[in-house]
């Protein structure tokens, strides 16, 4: 939880508030001004005094921008940011696109000063911390008011929500035996569309699949088609495997018996075939109901049924 600290670092950055979010932004900014800060894998050994010293020694941010009071968008506008490598990669890609667009506009307007190049984040920042630091740093360079920053972040949120709507096509991969489904999907893609998987690393997780298809080259219709075909092939494969050592039997049952069978299947969430197999296997082991039926028949007839 953020709290206030009145020290040299607070004076430099213009706010007494101390939080991991502010520290992440400062480390991110330092990495753009001095590449030695990119390779810092952990900040556990650094304190605020050392951070203030680093900032004073550098003096300015990357691109010649002076340190300014830290004005962050309220956390409530960042609730959609997840601790996800996939979302982080997607977000960085979007921000790089915006940086390129801003550069192009600046060049067309004859502006030679371009305050931000594609950032290189410090290695200790990952997942949600990286995404938010990237957003805060980008917003600090291109927007002067909090409202502008909020509008930009909300526009990104809407793009993300629309983008992830296509995740529903991949839901069949995130069910029972997900690892086998995902491996099958990769093999199917490699066989049917080798140009898609060529020189691409094998996705091993469900999130890895989604990130693989985050590539803008994949349209929504392509995602739907790939998954529909692969899912059908998976279902056929499962049916073939489940049919091994099985033989179809055709027999007629009374309507009342069929009705009872369907009620049992619905009640216990089993198929009718499973119900029949359970009953037959139980009778083959103990013959409880068969013995009872034969006993009643013997009493009625006075002698056992002839056997062949």
């Amino acid at each position: 939880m953020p709290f206030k600290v009145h020290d040299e670092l607070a004076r430099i950055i213009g706010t007494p508030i101390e939080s991991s979010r502010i520290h992440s932004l400062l480390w991110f900014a330092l990495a753009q001004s001095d590449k030695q800060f990119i390779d810092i894998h952990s900040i556990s050994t650094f304190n605020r005094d050392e951070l203030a010293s680093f900032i004073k020694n550098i003096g300015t941010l990357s691109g010649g921008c002076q340190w300014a009071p830290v004005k962050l968008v309220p956390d409530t506008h960042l609730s959609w940011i997840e601790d996800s490598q996939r979302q982080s990669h997607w977000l960085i890609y979007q921000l790089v696109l915006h940086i390129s667009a801003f550069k192009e506009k600046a060049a067309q307007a004859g502006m030679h000063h371009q305050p931000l190049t594609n950032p290189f984040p410090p290695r200790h920042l990952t997942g949600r911390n990286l995404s938010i630091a990237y957003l805060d740093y980008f917003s600090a360079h291109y927007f002067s008011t909090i409202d502008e920053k909020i509008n930009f972040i909300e526009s990104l949120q809407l793009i993300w929500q629309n983008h992830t709507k296509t995740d529903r096509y991949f839901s069949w991969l995130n069910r029972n035996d997900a690892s086998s489904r995902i491996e099958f999907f990769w093999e199917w893609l490699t066989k049917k569309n080798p140009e898609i998987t060529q020189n691409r690393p094998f996705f091993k997780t469900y999130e890895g699949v989604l990130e693989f298809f985050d590539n803008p080259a994949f349209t929504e219709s392509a995602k739907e088609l790939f998954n529909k075909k692969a899912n059908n092939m998976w279902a056929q494969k499962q049916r073939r495997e489940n049919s091994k050592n099985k033989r179809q039997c055709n027999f007629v049952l009374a309507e009342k018996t069929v009705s009872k069978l369907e009620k049992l299947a619905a009640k216990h969430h089993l198929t009718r075939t499973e119900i029949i197999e359970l009953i037959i296997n139980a009778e083959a082991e103990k013959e409880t109901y068969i013995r009872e039926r034969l006993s009643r028949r013997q009493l009625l007839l006075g002698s056992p049924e002839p056997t062949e």
Side-chain angles (χ1 to χ4, degrees):
M1 179 178 293
F3 57 92
K4 293 185 178 181
V5 177
H6 298 281
D7 56 9
E8 182 65 7
L9 181 61
R11 185 191 66 77
I12 294 173
I13 65 176
T15 177
I17 296 176
E18 179 178 43
S19 70
S20 59
R21 180 181 172 189
I22 289 178
H23 289 175
S24 293
L25 172 60
L26 296 178
W27 283 111
F28 194 102
L30 283 169
Q32 310 319 304
S33 297
D34 191 331
K35 301 308 181 205
Q36 69 168 316
F37 295 108
I38 293 176
D39 292 322
I40 294 177
H41 291 270
S42 172
I43 60 172
S44 59
T45 58
F46 295 94
N47 56 39
R48 287 177 61 90
D49 290 338
E50 288 176 302
L51 196 53
S53 177
F54 291 145
I55 294 174
K56 284 194 295 185
N57 289 337
I58 290 176
T60 59
L61 290 171
S62 175
C65 298
Q66 296 293 326
W67 286 96
V70 176
K71 296 180 180 179
L72 302 179
V73 169
D75 290 340
T76 53
H77 296 282
L78 301 174
S79 59
W80 63 280
I81 303 295
E82 306 163 6
D83 192 22
S84 160
Q85 176 178 284
R86 175 206 178 191
Q87 189 189 56
S88 183
H89 289 170
W90 176 88
L91 187 60
I92 290 171
Y93 174 78
Q94 294 296 317
L95 292 177
V96 168
L97 289 181
H98 279 84
I99 290 171
S100 299
F102 279 120
K103 285 182 177 180
E104 186 175 344
K105 288 182 181 178
Q108 291 174 351
M111 298 171 57
H112 299 292
H113 175 63
Q114 298 172 357
L116 184 60
T117 58
N118 294 347
F120 296 92
R123 301 188 193 284
H124 73 271
L125 290 179
T126 59
R128 191 171 193 270
N129 290 332
L130 173 60
S131 297
I132 292 176
Y134 216 122
L135 267 176
D136 285 338
Y137 186 74
F138 178 91
S139 299
H141 276 79
Y142 285 112
F143 305 108
S144 57
T145 68
I146 291 294
D147 285 343
E148 288 176 328
K149 296 177 182 179
I150 290 175
N151 289 337
F152 176 71
I153 290 173
E154 287 182 344
S155 70
L156 282 178
Q157 179 182 5
L158 182 60
I159 296 172
W160 171 252
Q161 289 172 341
N162 288 331
H163 173 72
T164 54
K165 286 180 180 178
T166 61
D167 290 357
R168 66 185 186 276
Y169 298 128
F170 302 89
S171 61
W172 67 281
L173 295 168
N174 198 29
R175 297 172 187 167
N176 293 336
D177 203 13
S179 59
S180 296
R181 291 171 181 263
I182 290 170
E183 184 178 356
F184 172 84
F185 189 37
W186 174 265
E187 292 175 352
W188 181 87
L189 283 172
T190 301
K191 181 179 179 181
K192 298 295 183 179
N193 302 274
E195 71 282 358
I196 293 176
T197 58
Q198 188 174 16
N199 300 323
R200 299 287 299 277
F202 164 53
F203 41 66
K204 299 180 180 180
T205 64
Y206 179 63
E207 185 179 41
V209 175
L210 298 179
E211 185 172 354
F212 182 92
F213 282 92
D214 280 340
N215 189 316
F218 295 110
T219 63
E220 179 174 355
S221 59
K223 294 177 185 179
E224 183 179 13
L225 183 61
F226 287 149
N227 280 280
K228 185 176 181 179
K229 289 185 175 181
N231 192 5
N232 287 338
M233 293 299 295
W234 169 262
Q236 290 178 23
K237 176 176 177 289
Q238 295 303 107
R239 283 195 294 269
R240 286 195 301 269
E241 291 179 355
N242 292 334
S243 296
K244 290 179 180 179
N245 301 319
K246 292 185 178 182
R247 186 173 61 184
Q248 183 174 344
C249 296
N250 296 318
F251 48 85
V252 178
L253 296 175
E255 289 188 6
K256 289 184 178 180
T257 303
V258 173
S259 178
K260 292 176 182 178
L261 178 60
E262 289 177 344
K263 288 180 180 179
L264 283 171
K267 179 180 179 180
H268 299 288
H269 304 288
L270 296 170
T271 66
R272 292 184 299 178
T273 300
E274 287 173 326
I275 294 290
I276 292 172
E277 286 182 343
L278 285 170
I279 294 172
I280 292 175
N281 289 333
E283 280 300 286
E285 182 178 347
K286 297 182 179 180
E287 295 186 355
T288 303
Y289 298 105
I290 291 176
R291 290 180 183 278
E292 182 181 336
R293 180 69 174 267
L294 292 176
S295 295
R296 288 204 305 269
R297 178 176 293 179
Q298 184 175 352
L299 288 173
L300 290 172
L301 300 177
S303 61
E305 288 282 309
T307 59
E308 296 182 0

Short mmCIF file of all heavy atoms in Angstrom, two decimals, residues 256-296:
data_model
loop_
_atom_site.label_atom_id
_atom_site.label_comp_id
_atom_site.label_asym_id
_atom_site.label_seq_id
_atom_site.Cartn_x
_atom_site.Cartn_y
_atom_site.Cartn_z
N LYS A 256 -40.85 -48.46 -21.72
CA LYS A 256 -40.69 -48.14 -20.31
C LYS A 256 -39.24 -48.33 -19.86
O LYS A 256 -38.71 -47.55 -19.06
CB LYS A 256 -41.62 -49.00 -19.46
CG LYS A 256 -43.09 -48.64 -19.59
CD LYS A 256 -43.94 -49.47 -18.65
CE LYS A 256 -45.41 -49.07 -18.73
NZ LYS A 256 -46.25 -49.88 -17.82
N THR A 257 -38.61 -49.38 -20.37
CA THR A 257 -37.22 -49.65 -20.01
C THR A 257 -36.30 -48.55 -20.56
O THR A 257 -35.38 -48.08 -19.88
CB THR A 257 -36.77 -51.01 -20.56
OG1 THR A 257 -37.65 -52.02 -20.05
CG2 THR A 257 -35.34 -51.33 -20.16
N VAL A 258 -36.54 -48.14 -21.79
CA VAL A 258 -35.75 -47.05 -22.40
C VAL A 258 -35.91 -45.77 -21.60
O VAL A 258 -34.94 -45.04 -21.35
CB VAL A 258 -36.17 -46.82 -23.87
CG1 VAL A 258 -35.48 -45.59 -24.43
CG2 VAL A 258 -35.86 -48.04 -24.71
N SER A 259 -37.16 -45.49 -21.16
CA SER A 259 -37.42 -44.29 -20.36
C SER A 259 -36.65 -44.34 -19.05
O SER A 259 -36.05 -43.34 -18.62
CB SER A 259 -38.92 -44.18 -20.10
OG SER A 259 -39.19 -43.05 -19.28
N LYS A 260 -36.65 -45.52 -18.38
CA LYS A 260 -35.90 -45.67 -17.13
C LYS A 260 -34.40 -45.49 -17.37
O LYS A 260 -33.70 -44.88 -16.57
CB LYS A 260 -36.18 -47.05 -16.53
CG LYS A 260 -37.61 -47.23 -16.03
CD LYS A 260 -37.83 -48.66 -15.54
CE LYS A 260 -39.26 -48.88 -15.08
NZ LYS A 260 -39.49 -50.28 -14.65
N LEU A 261 -33.92 -46.02 -18.50
CA LEU A 261 -32.50 -45.91 -18.84
C LEU A 261 -32.10 -44.45 -19.03
O LEU A 261 -31.06 -44.01 -18.53
CB LEU A 261 -32.22 -46.71 -20.11
CG LEU A 261 -30.78 -46.67 -20.65
CD1 LEU A 261 -29.80 -47.22 -19.62
CD2 LEU A 261 -30.70 -47.47 -21.96
N GLU A 262 -32.93 -43.71 -19.72
CA GLU A 262 -32.63 -42.29 -19.96
C GLU A 262 -32.66 -41.49 -18.67
O GLU A 262 -31.84 -40.59 -18.46
CB GLU A 262 -33.64 -41.73 -20.96
CG GLU A 262 -33.43 -42.27 -22.37
CD GLU A 262 -34.47 -41.77 -23.36
OE1 GLU A 262 -35.53 -41.26 -22.89
OE2 GLU A 262 -34.26 -41.89 -24.57
N LYS A 263 -33.60 -41.82 -17.77
CA LYS A 263 -33.67 -41.12 -16.47
C LYS A 263 -32.43 -41.41 -15.63
O LYS A 263 -31.88 -40.53 -14.97
CB LYS A 263 -34.93 -41.53 -15.72
CG LYS A 263 -36.21 -40.96 -16.33
CD LYS A 263 -37.43 -41.41 -15.54
CE LYS A 263 -38.71 -40.84 -16.15
NZ LYS A 263 -39.93 -41.28 -15.43
N LEU A 264 -31.97 -42.67 -15.63
CA LEU A 264 -30.76 -43.02 -14.90
C LEU A 264 -29.54 -42.28 -15.45
O LEU A 264 -28.70 -41.78 -14.70
CB LEU A 264 -30.52 -44.53 -14.98
CG LEU A 264 -31.39 -45.42 -14.08
CD1 LEU A 264 -31.20 -46.89 -14.44
CD2 LEU A 264 -31.04 -45.18 -12.60
N ALA A 265 -29.45 -42.22 -16.78
CA ALA A 265 -28.32 -41.54 -17.42
C ALA A 265 -28.30 -40.06 -17.06
O ALA A 265 -27.25 -39.49 -16.74
CB ALA A 265 -28.38 -41.73 -18.93
N ALA A 266 -29.50 -39.43 -17.10
CA ALA A 266 -29.59 -38.00 -16.78
C ALA A 266 -29.28 -37.75 -15.31
O ALA A 266 -28.59 -36.78 -14.95
CB ALA A 266 -30.98 -37.48 -17.12
N LYS A 267 -29.79 -38.61 -14.45
CA LYS A 267 -29.60 -38.44 -13.00
C LYS A 267 -28.14 -38.53 -12.61
O LYS A 267 -27.64 -37.75 -11.78
CB LYS A 267 -30.41 -39.49 -12.24
CG LYS A 267 -30.25 -39.42 -10.73
CD LYS A 267 -31.08 -40.50 -10.04
CE LYS A 267 -30.91 -40.43 -8.53
NZ LYS A 267 -31.71 -41.48 -7.85
N HIS A 268 -27.41 -39.46 -13.20
CA HIS A 268 -26.01 -39.70 -12.81
C HIS A 268 -25.00 -39.11 -13.79
O HIS A 268 -23.79 -39.34 -13.65
CB HIS A 268 -25.78 -41.21 -12.68
CG HIS A 268 -26.64 -41.85 -11.64
ND1 HIS A 268 -26.44 -41.68 -10.28
CD2 HIS A 268 -27.74 -42.67 -11.75
CE1 HIS A 268 -27.35 -42.35 -9.60
NE2 HIS A 268 -28.15 -42.96 -10.47
N HIS A 269 -25.50 -38.34 -14.78
CA HIS A 269 -24.63 -37.69 -15.75
C HIS A 269 -23.73 -38.69 -16.47
O HIS A 269 -22.52 -38.49 -16.63
CB HIS A 269 -23.77 -36.60 -15.08
CG HIS A 269 -24.57 -35.57 -14.36
ND1 HIS A 269 -25.33 -34.62 -15.01
CD2 HIS A 269 -24.78 -35.35 -13.03
CE1 HIS A 269 -25.94 -33.85 -14.13
NE2 HIS A 269 -25.62 -34.27 -12.91
N LEU A 270 -24.34 -39.80 -16.88
CA LEU A 270 -23.65 -40.83 -17.64
C LEU A 270 -24.39 -41.07 -18.95
O LEU A 270 -25.56 -40.69 -19.10
CB LEU A 270 -23.60 -42.14 -16.84
CG LEU A 270 -22.81 -42.12 -15.52
CD1 LEU A 270 -23.05 -43.39 -14.74
CD2 LEU A 270 -21.32 -41.93 -15.78
N THR A 271 -23.70 -41.69 -19.89
CA THR A 271 -24.39 -42.05 -21.13
C THR A 271 -25.20 -43.33 -20.90
O THR A 271 -24.97 -44.08 -19.94
CB THR A 271 -23.37 -42.28 -22.27
OG1 THR A 271 -22.58 -43.43 -21.96
CG2 THR A 271 -22.47 -41.07 -22.46
N ARG A 272 -26.13 -43.58 -21.82
CA ARG A 272 -26.92 -44.81 -21.71
C ARG A 272 -26.04 -46.04 -21.83
O ARG A 272 -26.25 -47.04 -21.14
CB ARG A 272 -28.01 -44.81 -22.80
CG ARG A 272 -29.07 -43.74 -22.57
CD ARG A 272 -30.17 -43.81 -23.60
NE ARG A 272 -29.66 -43.59 -24.96
CZ ARG A 272 -30.42 -43.63 -26.05
NH1 ARG A 272 -31.71 -43.88 -25.95
NH2 ARG A 272 -29.89 -43.43 -27.24
N THR A 273 -25.02 -45.94 -22.70
CA THR A 273 -24.09 -47.07 -22.86
C THR A 273 -23.35 -47.33 -21.56
O THR A 273 -23.15 -48.50 -21.17
CB THR A 273 -23.09 -46.77 -23.99
OG1 THR A 273 -23.80 -46.57 -25.21
CG2 THR A 273 -22.09 -47.91 -24.15
N GLU A 274 -22.94 -46.27 -20.86
CA GLU A 274 -22.23 -46.45 -19.59
C GLU A 274 -23.11 -47.11 -18.55
O GLU A 274 -22.64 -47.95 -17.76
CB GLU A 274 -21.72 -45.09 -19.10
CG GLU A 274 -20.54 -44.55 -19.90
CD GLU A 274 -20.16 -43.13 -19.51
OE1 GLU A 274 -21.06 -42.34 -19.15
OE2 GLU A 274 -18.96 -42.80 -19.57
N ILE A 275 -24.39 -46.72 -18.51
CA ILE A 275 -25.33 -47.32 -17.57
C ILE A 275 -25.46 -48.82 -17.84
O ILE A 275 -25.38 -49.66 -16.93
CB ILE A 275 -26.71 -46.65 -17.65
CG1 ILE A 275 -26.63 -45.20 -17.18
CG2 ILE A 275 -27.75 -47.43 -16.84
CD1 ILE A 275 -26.39 -45.03 -15.71
N ILE A 276 -25.64 -49.17 -19.10
CA ILE A 276 -25.80 -50.58 -19.47
C ILE A 276 -24.54 -51.37 -19.13
O ILE A 276 -24.61 -52.49 -18.59
CB ILE A 276 -26.13 -50.70 -20.97
CG1 ILE A 276 -27.52 -50.12 -21.25
CG2 ILE A 276 -26.05 -52.16 -21.43
CD1 ILE A 276 -27.87 -50.02 -22.71
N GLU A 277 -23.36 -50.79 -19.44
CA GLU A 277 -22.10 -51.49 -19.14
C GLU A 277 -21.93 -51.71 -17.64
O GLU A 277 -21.46 -52.77 -17.21
CB GLU A 277 -20.92 -50.68 -19.69
CG GLU A 277 -20.77 -50.76 -21.21
CD GLU A 277 -19.56 -49.98 -21.71
OE1 GLU A 277 -19.04 -49.14 -20.94
OE2 GLU A 277 -19.14 -50.21 -22.86
N LEU A 278 -22.28 -50.70 -16.84
CA LEU A 278 -22.16 -50.83 -15.37
C LEU A 278 -23.05 -51.97 -14.87
O LEU A 278 -22.62 -52.79 -14.02
CB LEU A 278 -22.56 -49.52 -14.70
CG LEU A 278 -21.54 -48.37 -14.77
CD1 LEU A 278 -22.18 -47.08 -14.26
CD2 LEU A 278 -20.32 -48.71 -13.93
N ILE A 279 -24.29 -52.03 -15.35
CA ILE A 279 -25.23 -53.07 -14.88
C ILE A 279 -24.74 -54.46 -15.31
O ILE A 279 -24.74 -55.41 -14.51
CB ILE A 279 -26.63 -52.78 -15.44
CG1 ILE A 279 -27.17 -51.49 -14.83
CG2 ILE A 279 -27.57 -53.96 -15.14
CD1 ILE A 279 -28.47 -51.02 -15.44
N ILE A 280 -24.32 -54.59 -16.57
CA ILE A 280 -23.86 -55.89 -17.06
C ILE A 280 -22.61 -56.35 -16.32
O ILE A 280 -22.51 -57.53 -15.92
CB ILE A 280 -23.59 -55.82 -18.58
CG1 ILE A 280 -24.92 -55.64 -19.33
CG2 ILE A 280 -22.87 -57.08 -19.06
CD1 ILE A 280 -24.76 -55.43 -20.82
N ASN A 281 -21.66 -55.43 -16.10
CA ASN A 281 -20.42 -55.80 -15.40
C ASN A 281 -20.71 -56.21 -13.96
O ASN A 281 -20.09 -57.15 -13.43
CB ASN A 281 -19.42 -54.63 -15.42
CG ASN A 281 -18.84 -54.39 -16.81
OD1 ASN A 281 -18.77 -55.32 -17.62
ND2 ASN A 281 -18.41 -53.17 -17.07
N ALA A 282 -21.65 -55.50 -13.31
CA ALA A 282 -22.00 -55.84 -11.93
C ALA A 282 -22.66 -57.21 -11.87
O ALA A 282 -22.38 -58.03 -10.97
CB ALA A 282 -22.93 -54.77 -11.36
N GLU A 283 -23.54 -57.51 -12.82
CA GLU A 283 -24.21 -58.79 -12.85
C GLU A 283 -23.25 -59.93 -13.21
O GLU A 283 -23.37 -61.05 -12.70
CB GLU A 283 -25.37 -58.76 -13.85
CG GLU A 283 -26.62 -58.09 -13.30
CD GLU A 283 -27.13 -58.80 -12.06
OE1 GLU A 283 -27.70 -59.90 -12.17
OE2 GLU A 283 -26.93 -58.26 -10.95
N ALA A 284 -22.29 -59.63 -14.08
CA ALA A 284 -21.32 -60.65 -14.46
C ALA A 284 -20.47 -61.05 -13.26
O ALA A 284 -20.00 -62.19 -13.15
CB ALA A 284 -20.42 -60.13 -15.58
N GLU A 285 -20.30 -60.12 -12.31
CA GLU A 285 -19.47 -60.39 -11.14
C GLU A 285 -20.26 -61.08 -10.02
O GLU A 285 -19.79 -62.03 -9.39
CB GLU A 285 -18.88 -59.08 -10.62
CG GLU A 285 -17.96 -59.26 -9.42
CD GLU A 285 -17.35 -57.94 -8.97
OE1 GLU A 285 -17.45 -56.94 -9.71
OE2 GLU A 285 -16.80 -57.92 -7.86
N LYS A 286 -21.51 -60.62 -9.76
CA LYS A 286 -22.26 -61.14 -8.61
C LYS A 286 -23.56 -61.87 -8.99
O LYS A 286 -24.09 -62.64 -8.19
CB LYS A 286 -22.60 -59.97 -7.67
CG LYS A 286 -21.37 -59.30 -7.08
CD LYS A 286 -21.77 -58.20 -6.12
CE LYS A 286 -20.54 -57.54 -5.51
NZ LYS A 286 -20.89 -56.46 -4.57
N GLU A 287 -24.09 -61.59 -10.14
CA GLU A 287 -25.34 -62.20 -10.62
C GLU A 287 -26.48 -62.05 -9.61
O GLU A 287 -27.30 -62.95 -9.42
CB GLU A 287 -25.13 -63.68 -10.94
CG GLU A 287 -24.16 -63.93 -12.10
CD GLU A 287 -24.08 -65.38 -12.49
OE1 GLU A 287 -24.70 -66.22 -11.81
OE2 GLU A 287 -23.40 -65.66 -13.50
N THR A 288 -26.55 -60.91 -8.98
CA THR A 288 -27.56 -60.68 -7.94
C THR A 288 -28.97 -60.78 -8.49
O THR A 288 -29.82 -61.54 -7.98
CB THR A 288 -27.35 -59.29 -7.30
OG1 THR A 288 -26.03 -59.22 -6.79
CG2 THR A 288 -28.36 -59.06 -6.17
N TYR A 289 -29.26 -60.01 -9.54
CA TYR A 289 -30.62 -59.96 -10.07
C TYR A 289 -30.93 -61.17 -10.95
O TYR A 289 -32.08 -61.62 -11.02
CB TYR A 289 -30.83 -58.66 -10.84
CG TYR A 289 -30.68 -57.45 -9.96
CD1 TYR A 289 -29.54 -56.67 -10.01
CD2 TYR A 289 -31.68 -57.12 -9.04
CE1 TYR A 289 -29.38 -55.57 -9.19
CE2 TYR A 289 -31.54 -56.03 -8.20
CZ TYR A 289 -30.39 -55.26 -8.28
OH TYR A 289 -30.24 -54.19 -7.46
N ILE A 290 -29.93 -61.73 -11.60
CA ILE A 290 -30.15 -62.93 -12.42
C ILE A 290 -30.54 -64.11 -11.53
O ILE A 290 -31.48 -64.86 -11.82
CB ILE A 290 -28.90 -63.25 -13.25
CG1 ILE A 290 -28.70 -62.18 -14.33
CG2 ILE A 290 -29.01 -64.63 -13.90
CD1 ILE A 290 -27.45 -62.35 -15.15
N ARG A 291 -29.82 -64.30 -10.41
CA ARG A 291 -30.14 -65.39 -9.49
C ARG A 291 -31.55 -65.22 -8.92
O ARG A 291 -32.30 -66.19 -8.78
CB ARG A 291 -29.11 -65.43 -8.35
CG ARG A 291 -27.73 -65.90 -8.78
CD ARG A 291 -26.79 -65.91 -7.58
NE ARG A 291 -25.45 -66.28 -7.98
CZ ARG A 291 -25.03 -67.53 -8.15
NH1 ARG A 291 -25.89 -68.54 -7.96
NH2 ARG A 291 -23.79 -67.77 -8.51
N GLU A 292 -31.90 -63.99 -8.60
CA GLU A 292 -33.23 -63.73 -8.05
C GLU A 292 -34.31 -64.06 -9.09
O GLU A 292 -35.34 -64.67 -8.77
CB GLU A 292 -33.33 -62.26 -7.64
CG GLU A 292 -34.66 -61.90 -7.00
CD GLU A 292 -34.73 -60.43 -6.62
OE1 GLU A 292 -33.65 -59.83 -6.42
OE2 GLU A 292 -35.86 -59.91 -6.55
N ARG A 293 -34.04 -63.66 -10.32
CA ARG A 293 -35.02 -63.93 -11.39
C ARG A 293 -35.18 -65.44 -11.64
O ARG A 293 -36.29 -65.96 -11.79
CB ARG A 293 -34.54 -63.23 -12.67
CG ARG A 293 -35.46 -63.40 -13.87
CD ARG A 293 -36.78 -62.66 -13.65
NE ARG A 293 -37.60 -62.71 -14.85
CZ ARG A 293 -37.60 -61.78 -15.80
NH1 ARG A 293 -36.80 -60.73 -15.67
NH2 ARG A 293 -38.38 -61.89 -16.84
N LEU A 294 -34.07 -66.15 -11.65
CA LEU A 294 -34.11 -67.60 -11.87
C LEU A 294 -34.79 -68.32 -10.71
O LEU A 294 -35.52 -69.32 -10.90
CB LEU A 294 -32.69 -68.13 -12.07
CG LEU A 294 -31.98 -67.71 -13.37
CD1 LEU A 294 -30.57 -68.23 -13.39
CD2 LEU A 294 -32.76 -68.21 -14.59
N SER A 295 -34.58 -67.83 -9.50
CA SER A 295 -35.22 -68.44 -8.33
C SER A 295 -36.73 -68.30 -8.40
O SER A 295 -37.49 -69.25 -8.11
CB SER A 295 -34.70 -67.80 -7.04
OG SER A 295 -33.32 -68.06 -6.88
N ARG A 296 -37.19 -67.09 -8.80
CA ARG A 296 -38.64 -66.88 -8.92
C ARG A 296 -39.21 -67.78 -10.02
O ARG A 296 -40.29 -68.35 -9.87
CB ARG A 296 -38.93 -65.41 -9.22
CG ARG A 296 -38.70 -64.47 -8.04
CD ARG A 296 -39.51 -63.20 -8.19
NE ARG A 296 -39.24 -62.53 -9.47
CZ ARG A 296 -38.31 -61.61 -9.63
NH1 ARG A 296 -37.53 -61.26 -8.60
NH2 ARG A 296 -38.13 -61.04 -10.79
#
